[in-house]
Amino acid sequence: MAEPTEPKSTGIEPVDVPLSEKNPSRVEKGHNHADAIPDLNENLEAKIKNPLAGLPRETLFSNVTEFCNANSLAAESDLHLFKKAALIAQDPTSYETLSGEYALDETEKEVLRNEVLHKWRVPKALYMTIITCSIGAAVQGWDQTGSNGANLSFPKALGIGSDSQRDIYLVGLVNAAPYIGSAFIGCWLSDPVNYYFGRRGAIFFSAHFCLWPVIGSAFSRTWEQLLVNRLLMGIGMGAKASSVPIFAAENSPAAIRGALVMSWQLWTAFGILAGTVANVAVAKTGDISWRLQLGSAFIPAVPLLILIYFCPESPRWYMKKGRYQEAYTSLLKLRNHPLQAARDLYYIQAQLEIEKAIMRQSSYAKRFVELFTIPRVRRATLAAFTVMIAQQMCGINIIAFYSTTIFRDSGISEFNSLLASFGFGLVNFLFAFPALYTIDTFGRRSLLLFTFPNMAWSLLAAGLCTLIPGTGQGRLAAVALFVYIFGAFYSPGEGPVPYAYSAEVFPLSHREVGMAFAVATCLFWAAVLSITFPAILASLHVVGAFCLYAGFNILALVMIFFWVPETKQRTLEELDYIFAVPTRVFGRYQLREALPYFVRRWVVWDKKAELRPLYQMDMDIVASTEGERERGEDTSESASVDRGEKSGVVEKEGVKSAATGSS
């Protein structure tokens, strides 16, 4: 595979200093800090650093000029704009107080204020991107649900409907086929397809596999034909699931990135709901009902094919290919003002140069190996693996794949089982909406830690309710109630978090292969679940199966507690510092400080309990920047007011400063 185009410099050159010698003092060459190239593998102090902070204004402007000249952005108006943008990226608190020729006009100030005060005021092009990604997610959900209803009739129609072990496992294999195709082929195709064709090209490629094989499934005459069609569909599902969340994450501002990326889950839930509606709608069409249930999933794939090329390409993909003019054009469409686009372009590239200096360029195979060998990347891999495998451990897919079968085996008629499954799909969709708010306020980790214990007890209760004697409506109501409660806790927590989280935790150099690994993990275990669950259900019955997965929820909770850091309100580039904190440091903090705090605050109910934050801003760099300004580089008297408590990333009441809107 060809190597990526050499990125063009921002003027921030790597400083080759041994780790033991790095300190906040200034390096004479280029006036950069020695720690401008930080150790992203051992961030023992858990400090988050702005790579531009601490540069003298003269050096910063020289670097901006070099960057603009190297990337054909040196028109007089562009150069002046990029210098203002670099000042804001360097100190996000300064946009109100910049003076002289680089002072912002009132329109520019208002735009930056609105990033916090009205963060959902975004351009139409960004909404088009999210709508298209949402359609892609709906395809995913509908593809999953078609087999849920079809399970009632296709096994008998294709000659594998007996109670023999062979037929039980063949039904599981056919159900698992999309996840096998995803885990072993589709996910791993996403890296080369993204490399050559971009994010939009990868989604367009995957949409074809979610259209034609789906139609083929409806016309299958044997179980072997159905198996092949579903394997091919899985290739599209895997490539799409690995590409769409990255596309959404890379186009979104940090303040709303979690909400926009989690639309994957929201609209996957909508696809599941639409699939259950289709299952009910065609349930009484006779022998062709299973064909219509499987084939109806082609509907959302058509608009996905059409709309994807109306969306701007990911600016980060353009930057990865060295196409900065096109990246800037894309950002102009995705941000409300050219100042925001220029700020984001320059700030992102400053961080990407640090990544490049540490990660270096590599082949696909080498990047895969580096998922487990480079400590910063390995920690992201562990966290993404944890949230992805937890999605299978929680038990959601035993409901999504087999809810109709579970309800039927609980003594309910087939049509009522389809209606009960529709109810679950509706709950799953409606309760995904709160996550649009909570994922960027409460955070990804907090949502998981809250919802997993509640999923455990509700799944346990649903299983125990199947022991209620008789087959009346009371038994159906009790089982369905706790299954719906389970779905209500799943949808705002483990539903949206895994894909949003995995799309953001990897550095750009490893983002495609990292996301491929994460999605392959999720879908491989979904395949294992699909194959084995019919046998588990036959052996343990509904109560045993539900109790088993309730236990898996508790195990997943422990894994998340020790291995999954919080990522809310951080830019994609700042996450390098989050994942530079060693796992042992993070785990020790959770065990010795976070857990005792939880007990004191919520068990003992001590309102005075306080939790020392793990992550801190690097105040040494901030102090250095202030020193430069005090020596006359910024004549604004108010520029230094209250800066001692602020830095490259500012958090106030859980919302990041407007000026760090890059993601």
Side-chain angles (χ1 to χ4, degrees):
M1 182 183 299
E3 293 297 330
T5 305
E6 185 73 16
K8 298 176 183 177
S9 177
T10 59
I12 299 175
E13 299 298 332
V15 182
D16 189 11
V17 178
L19 297 180
S20 61
E21 298 177 17
K22 289 186 177 182
N23 58 66
S25 63
R26 194 174 306 287
V27 176
E28 292 302 321
K29 180 181 178 181
H31 301 286
N32 287 334
H33 284 293
D35 57 355
I37 303 300
D39 180 13
L40 295 188
N41 296 323
E42 291 292 326
N43 184 9
L44 295 174
E45 296 177 339
K47 289 186 176 180
I48 302 169
K49 304 174 184 179
N50 182 336
L52 301 175
L55 290 178
R57 181 175 287 195
E58 180 182 353
T59 304
L60 180 66
F61 284 175
S62 174
N63 293 345
V64 171
T65 302
E66 180 183 342
F67 171 73
C68 290
N69 286 334
N71 296 291
S72 303
L73 298 167
E76 185 174 347
S77 59
D78 284 342
L79 185 58
H80 183 76
L81 177 68
F82 270 91
K83 287 181 178 179
K84 285 201 294 186
L87 287 173
I88 297 168
Q90 184 184 50
D91 183 357
T93 68
S94 68
Y95 70 96
E96 295 275 11
T97 56
L98 287 174
S99 61
E101 64 175 311
Y102 298 108
L104 274 60
D105 61 38
E106 194 56 37
T107 299
E108 292 170 330
K109 291 179 182 178
E110 186 67 19
V111 166
L112 294 179
R113 291 188 200 110
N114 285 341
E115 286 185 322
V116 169
L117 300 177
H118 304 286
K119 59 186 179 180
W120 286 100
R121 289 182 183 174
V122 297
K124 292 180 180 178
L126 183 54
Y127 278 123
M128 173 60 76
T129 299
I130 302 307
I131 289 170
T132 305
C133 292
S134 299
I135 293 172
V139 174
Q140 202 87 351
W142 205 325
D143 285 340
Q144 293 177 15
T145 314
S147 63
N148 191 325
N151 278 331
L152 296 178
S153 52
F154 90 79
K156 291 181 180 178
L158 299 182
I160 52 173
S162 74
D163 293 331
S164 68
Q165 284 291 98
R166 172 186 175 274
D167 284 357
I168 289 174
Y169 277 103
L170 281 179
V171 171
L173 180 63
V174 171
N175 281 316
Y179 309 102
I180 295 172
S182 296
F184 290 100
I185 303 175
C187 293
W188 304 108
L189 279 178
S190 67
D191 186 283
V193 173
N194 271 278
Y195 178 87
Y196 286 111
F197 303 109
R199 312 296 189 223
R200 295 184 304 173
I203 296 169
F204 183 77
F205 166 85
S206 64
H208 279 285
F209 281 88
C210 294
L211 174 61
W212 309 114
V214 169
I215 295 173
S217 296
F219 288 95
S220 297
R221 296 291 181 180
T222 65
W223 69 263
E224 292 92 346
Q225 291 176 0
L226 181 58
L227 176 65
V228 170
N229 278 309
R230 288 177 64 78
L231 284 169
L232 291 173
M233 182 179 73
I235 294 175
M237 289 174 62
K240 176 159 53 65
S242 301
S243 302
V244 170
I246 291 177
F247 184 54
E250 292 184 342
N251 284 4
S252 305
I256 57 172
R257 187 184 66 243
L260 294 184
V261 177
M262 72 77 48
S263 66
W264 172 265
Q265 165 57 23
L266 175 65
W267 295 103
T268 296
F270 174 78
I272 291 173
L273 174 61
T276 59
V277 170
N279 288 343
V280 173
V282 301
K284 297 185 178 181
T285 55
D287 293 341
I288 64 168
S289 62
W290 68 270
R291 298 184 183 277
L292 298 176
Q293 288 165 340
L294 291 175
S296 63
F298 89 93
I299 295 171
V302 175
L304 178 63
L305 278 168
I306 297 170
L307 292 178
I308 187 59
Y309 279 106
F310 287 92
C311 302
E313 180 57 273
S314 162
R316 281 176 178 77
W317 183 80
Y318 280 135
M319 294 169 75
K320 187 176 182 180
K321 308 296 283 187
R323 295 158 61 176
Y324 290 87
Q325 283 183 301
E326 291 164 283
Y328 184 46
T329 300
S330 185
L331 279 168
L332 288 172
K333 297 176 182 177
L334 294 165
R335 302 294 183 263
N336 286 314
H337 195 279
L339 181 65
Q340 297 169 301
R343 174 203 61 191
D344 290 2
L345 185 75
Y346 192 72
Y347 184 79
I348 293 166
Q349 179 57 21
Q351 275 284 12
L352 295 184
E353 285 192 7
I354 292 176
E355 283 187 16
K356 180 189 172 187
I358 295 169
M359 307 298 181
R360 309 298 179 189
Q361 295 182 0
S362 58
S363 66
Y364 184 20
K366 185 177 181 183
R367 288 198 303 276
F368 176 76
V369 173
E370 287 171 347
L371 291 179
F372 311 98
T373 57
I374 295 178
R376 180 264 180 262
V377 184
R378 184 173 65 239
R379 294 179 196 115
T381 302
L382 175 62
F385 168 84
T386 301
V387 296
M388 283 296 193
I389 197 170
Q391 192 169 75
Q392 303 309 320
M393 295 172 70
C394 78
I396 183 61
N397 283 333
I398 67 175
I399 308 297
F401 301 163
Y402 291 106
S403 62
T404 304
T405 304
I406 289 170
F407 285 126
R408 184 192 63 185
D409 289 356
S410 299
I412 303 164
S413 70
E414 290 190 354
F415 187 74
N416 284 339
S417 297
L418 287 169
L419 289 176
S421 293
F422 162 74
F424 173 77
L426 183 62
V427 168
N428 190 34
F429 176 60
L430 293 178
F431 280 87
F433 278 97
L436 288 170
Y437 170 76
T438 57
I439 197 167
D440 283 318
T441 51
F442 294 103
R444 289 72 155 149
R445 172 182 168 86
S446 299
L447 286 173
L448 296 180
L449 294 178
F450 170 72
T451 54
F452 264 89
N454 288 294
M455 287 191 292
W457 73 257
S458 55
L459 202 60
L460 178 64
L464 294 176
C465 284
T466 63
L467 300 178
I468 295 174
T471 58
Q473 294 298 316
R475 181 178 181 179
L476 168 62
V479 174
L481 172 65
F482 287 107
V483 168
Y484 295 168
I485 291 174
F486 168 83
F489 282 116
Y490 167 83
S491 292
E494 181 61 14
V497 168
Y499 283 89
Y501 191 89
S502 300
E504 65 190 3
V505 297
F506 294 99
L508 182 61
S509 56
H510 293 70
R511 194 162 292 157
E512 294 96 335
V513 70
M515 187 63 178
F517 170 78
V519 176
T521 296
C522 180
L523 298 181
F524 170 77
W525 289 104
V528 172
L529 183 153
S530 294
I531 294 172
T532 59
F533 189 72
I536 291 174
L537 196 60
S539 176
L540 301 180
H541 307 293
V542 175
V543 61
F546 276 23
C547 290
L548 175 65
Y549 277 90
F552 286 159
N553 272 276
I554 300 303
L555 177 59
L557 175 68
V558 175
M559 294 164 61
I560 290 164
F561 184 78
F562 285 107
W563 293 342
V564 178
E566 183 57 80
T567 60
K568 71 165 184 173
Q569 298 287 331
R570 301 296 185 194
T571 70
L572 294 182
E573 288 68 43
E574 288 161 4
L575 293 180
D576 283 338
Y577 299 99
I578 299 294
F579 287 96
V581 176
T583 303
R584 66 182 183 279
V585 174
F586 179 79
R588 186 166 59 242
Y589 171 83
Q590 301 305 324
L591 185 62
R592 296 181 180 179
E593 303 214 27
L595 185 60
Y597 164 78
F598 177 84
V599 173
R600 289 197 306 272
R601 179 66 183 86
W602 302 108
V603 179
V604 181
W605 209 253
D606 179 6
K607 294 184 178 180
K608 296 182 179 179
E610 294 183 358
L611 177 63
R612 177 185 67 83
L614 173 61
Y615 305 110
Q616 307 170 49
M617 295 307 304
D618 191 339
M619 302 310 296
D620 293 332
I621 289 181
V622 177
S624 175
T625 303
E626 295 307 317
E628 294 293 341
R629 289 188 173 139
E630 289 173 4
R631 287 192 292 274
E633 299 202 19
D634 186 344
T635 59
S636 171
E637 186 174 284
S638 61
S640 60
V641 175
D642 198 32
R643 293 253 181 83
E645 294 178 296
K646 299 177 181 179
S647 60
V649 177
V650 180
E651 293 194 7
K652 182 178 181 182
E653 296 179 0
V655 181
K656 188 168 353 147
S657 167
T660 54
S662 63
S663 55

